[in-house]
Amino acid sequence: MFFQPKLLKTFAGYNQTLFIKDLLAGLTVGIVALPLAMAFAIASGLKPEAGIFTGIIAGGLISLLGGSRVQIGGPAGAFIVIVYGIVERYGVSNLLVATAMSGVFLILMGAFRLGTLVRFIPIAVIIGFTNGIAFLIGLSQIKDFFGLQIEKMPAHFFQAVQALYLAADTFNPTALAVACGSLSIIIFWRLFQKHLGFLHHIPGTVIAMIFATVFTSLLDLPIDTIGSRFGGIPSSLPSFEWIPVSWDTAQYMVTPALTLALLGAIESLLCARIADGLIHDRHDSNQELMAQGFANIVTPFFGGMPATGTIARTVTNVESGASTPIAGIVHALTLLAIVLFAAPLAKNIPLASLAAILMYVAWNMGEWKKFIDIKQFRLPYRITILSVFLLTVILDLTVAVQVGLLLAFITFIYRISSLSRCEIAEANIYPALNNLQGRIDAYRIYGAIFFGAVKLLEKIEENLPSQTLLLDLKNVIYVDSSGMDTISELAHLCKVRNIKLIICGLDHQPYEMAGRSGFLEKLPQDCLYPDLISGIKAATAS
């Protein structure tokens, strides 16, 4: 079927035992998602409810329509840097437009079965921009971690560093103490989580937020909270509102929307692959992309932000016993229940604690060990990963990915072309070639004849024999249009110089390419042989 959510396949054999497991897992993940959703929204320059509404609506839709059994969708840390930049440059209304447009792109990617293409993005590019985003998330949280008095953090790296430097003398010791205390609780809980009995399912981020909120309320600490900065979060259902579209600026949202779509696709499919390994199942990548697309189209109309699959919440879901998308739907309903019945309690959540949570998320999000082990890799890999990282930090993710893909492309072309080679068929291996030097030249070509390796045939053109040229293409696995043009030019040159061209071993893809290009029609019937020995016999007999 073209559109078949994974949920439909889970009803067969579904029973009360599985439902209870999914229910408990969904409740756990819903509690886990609360502080993360608010923290991601605040760090993105939005109100905390934007993250919660996204978790409710997008999280429910992704589980309802997705191609993975256990993936949890919602706001993600990877989007923080991009969303913050869009909000600062274009405003919240245009962020909603870009989010909806990214949803359309994701649906098209899924409809055209492009889900598998995301896997072709080199790991060096993924690690580079992931570490860059993690670094920027940590940088953006220094303000609230230290309680600095900065009216608005700039989106660009150098301006952000300057703003932090200028405000260094305004740091709040109380905020720093709350942040350090929260971070200590998170780390302690992670180290000893397995020894905490029935509490081990609850992550340290939730415990840290609860402790910080209680202490801030009881001691009336002089630090910024959700209530003091945002007035709390609404205790009502998100309402539907048409997105205000300014057609003068909507045209500039195409590039940000493509960036959101590409990053969302990468994040969700990477997360789905990790989930597959945990539950020994296989997700439908194209169905997952379409579900992500629908979620990102709908969510902006309820004041939400971009959504994708989230690794931390998905892993928590699996570890809590989830086996079907029902757990993801329960997670969304849990967030909804928290908003309806416990929203007033959120006003005392200190921003310093949320900053500590995001610092922890950023640290775990980055693959820092890859930087430590970078000397083990080849120079092109090192250049790619460091270039993408630095460009993500200093410029933006779009430029970083473009440059990274270009570097990876150049490296790939160089390596593949270096694997292609051309050898002269030696007379000691083929005795029939004895005493025929200068009249008959035989070459064996290996690898691929494509635009990066056409120089192999160009070298043959410079040393053409007087009578016959034999080309053994038995070991050629691929020929592109540029390679076929070069072979055609060589054939034409042989015809002009009255040199007989014999091609041997043309098979599979090269044979198909030769047929589609019309080369076989131009080649005389006595010029095509199955192998080099047959070609040599035909050349010496003529």
Side-chain angles (χ1 to χ4, degrees):
M1 292 179 62
F2 173 71
F3 189 84
Q4 189 172 20
K6 207 74 167 182
L7 179 65
L8 299 178
K9 297 181 179 180
T10 63
F11 292 129
Y14 196 71
N15 52 42
Q16 184 178 359
T17 302
L18 291 177
F19 175 73
I20 292 174
K21 289 183 177 180
D22 286 337
L23 179 64
L24 294 176
L27 290 171
T28 302
V29 179
I31 296 171
V32 170
L34 178 64
L36 295 177
M38 290 189 294
F40 292 152
I42 293 170
S44 300
L46 303 172
K47 293 182 178 180
E49 59 263 29
I52 299 176
F53 292 164
T54 302
I56 295 170
I57 299 169
L61 287 174
I62 289 171
S63 294
L64 187 67
L65 305 175
S68 172
R69 294 174 67 91
V70 293
Q71 174 150 267
I72 300 296
F79 282 133
I80 289 175
V81 177
I82 304 172
V83 172
Y84 189 88
I86 295 174
V87 170
E88 186 189 57
R89 185 173 181 182
Y90 300 105
V92 175
S93 60
N94 285 301
L95 168 67
L96 302 179
V97 174
T99 303
M101 290 172 65
S102 73
V104 175
F105 290 138
L106 283 166
I107 290 178
L108 292 176
M109 289 170 66
F112 285 101
R113 323 302 289 175
L114 300 181
T116 55
L117 294 182
V118 176
R119 299 183 181 183
F120 294 134
I121 298 177
I123 190 65
V125 176
I126 293 176
I127 292 173
F129 77 67
T130 300
N131 285 13
I133 290 171
F135 178 85
L136 289 174
I137 291 173
L139 181 70
S140 68
Q141 296 311 298
I142 291 177
K143 169 181 176 288
D144 288 327
F145 195 93
F146 288 88
L148 302 180
Q149 298 301 310
I150 301 175
E151 184 175 349
K152 187 175 183 181
M153 278 289 291
H156 298 287
F157 173 72
F158 292 111
Q159 290 91 326
V161 172
Q162 183 183 23
L164 292 172
Y165 175 76
L166 294 176
D169 58 344
T170 66
F171 91 97
N172 186 335
T174 306
L176 179 59
V178 171
C180 290
S182 299
L183 193 57
S184 300
I185 291 174
I186 294 171
I187 295 172
F188 172 84
W189 200 268
R190 180 62 181 269
L191 292 175
F192 298 97
Q193 194 167 9
K194 294 181 179 179
H195 307 287
L196 296 172
F198 71 94
L199 293 175
H200 77 279
H201 285 303
I202 304 176
T205 53
V206 175
I207 302 300
M209 184 189 71
I210 293 174
F211 271 96
T213 303
V214 170
F215 274 98
T216 301
S217 302
L218 293 178
L219 302 178
D220 195 21
L221 298 179
I223 57 176
D224 286 340
T225 63
I226 287 180
S228 65
R229 184 174 295 182
F230 302 103
I233 59 175
S235 56
S236 60
L237 293 171
S239 58
F240 179 89
E241 292 184 11
W242 282 108
I243 300 176
V245 178
S246 171
W247 298 110
D248 292 333
T249 56
Q251 58 184 319
Y252 300 112
M253 292 297 104
V254 175
T255 299
L258 283 171
T259 303
L260 290 172
L262 179 61
L263 184 56
I266 294 171
E267 282 287 308
S268 62
L269 297 186
L270 282 177
C271 178
R273 289 178 65 183
I274 292 173
D276 287 351
L278 294 173
I279 64 173
H280 307 292
D281 189 41
R282 180 171 294 182
H283 73 280
D284 183 341
S285 57
N286 296 304
Q287 179 64 40
E288 187 63 31
L289 288 180
M290 286 191 281
Q292 301 285 342
F294 280 116
N296 280 285
I297 288 176
V298 174
T299 305
F301 288 96
F302 293 89
M305 59 187 291
T308 185
T310 58
I311 295 176
R313 275 159 276 174
T314 298
V315 172
T316 302
N317 191 39
V318 175
E319 291 178 346
S320 301
S323 59
T324 75
I326 298 295
I329 297 173
V330 173
H331 134 268
L333 294 176
T334 301
L335 279 174
L336 178 60
I338 292 173
V339 168
L340 294 178
F341 302 108
L345 300 177
K347 66 179 181 179
N348 291 323
I349 297 176
L351 298 182
S353 179
L354 294 180
I357 291 172
L358 280 184
M359 286 281 194
Y360 178 75
V361 169
W363 176 258
N364 284 283
M365 178 181 172
E367 297 189 48
W368 311 110
K369 194 174 183 296
K370 298 291 185 181
F371 282 174
I372 298 174
D373 299 335
I374 199 168
K375 290 184 179 179
Q376 299 177 8
F377 301 101
R378 293 177 178 270
L379 181 62
Y381 180 94
R382 283 182 272 173
I383 292 175
T384 301
I385 193 171
L386 291 176
S387 297
V388 175
F389 173 77
L390 292 174
L391 288 172
T392 300
V393 171
I394 296 174
L395 295 179
D396 65 55
L397 180 63
T398 306
V399 175
V401 172
Q402 290 173 349
V403 172
L405 290 176
L406 178 61
L407 291 173
F409 174 75
I410 294 172
T411 301
F412 174 78
I413 295 302
Y414 173 77
R415 288 182 177 174
I416 294 299
S417 62
S418 65
L419 294 175
S420 302
R421 68 184 192 278
C422 178
E423 296 178 354
I424 298 176
E426 300 292 344
N428 58 350
I429 301 177
Y430 303 96
L433 293 174
N434 282 319
N435 304 318
L436 295 175
Q437 283 296 90
R439 289 187 295 146
I440 297 179
D441 283 356
Y443 294 91
R444 307 190 72 179
I445 300 176
Y446 299 80
I449 304 176
F450 68 114
F451 65 90
V454 294
K455 60 184 178 183
L456 297 177
L457 298 180
E458 292 173 353
K459 290 182 179 179
I460 296 175
E461 291 180 1
E462 298 173 359
N463 300 285
L464 290 175
S466 58
Q467 293 183 5
T468 306
L469 172 66
L470 283 84
L471 294 181
D472 181 14
L473 304 182
K474 181 180 179 180
N475 296 298
V476 173
I477 60 173
Y478 176 76
V479 178
D480 73 349
S481 57
S482 297
M484 206 66 247
D485 285 344
T486 306
I487 294 174
S488 299
E489 290 176 8
L490 178 61
H492 178 72
L493 186 61
C494 289
K495 183 178 180 181
V496 170
R497 297 188 182 182
N498 200 27
I499 299 172
K500 184 179 178 72
L501 174 64
I502 295 178
I503 295 180
C504 311
L506 194 64
D507 202 5
H508 301 300
Q509 190 276 338
Y511 186 86
E512 181 188 358
M513 174 58 78
R516 286 194 288 114
S517 65
F519 177 73
L520 293 180
E521 297 177 2
K522 301 176 184 177
L523 200 65
Q525 292 294 324
D526 61 342
C527 293
L528 203 62
Y529 294 90
D531 53 59
L532 185 59
I533 295 177
S534 302
I536 293 174
K537 289 180 179 179
T540 53
S542 59

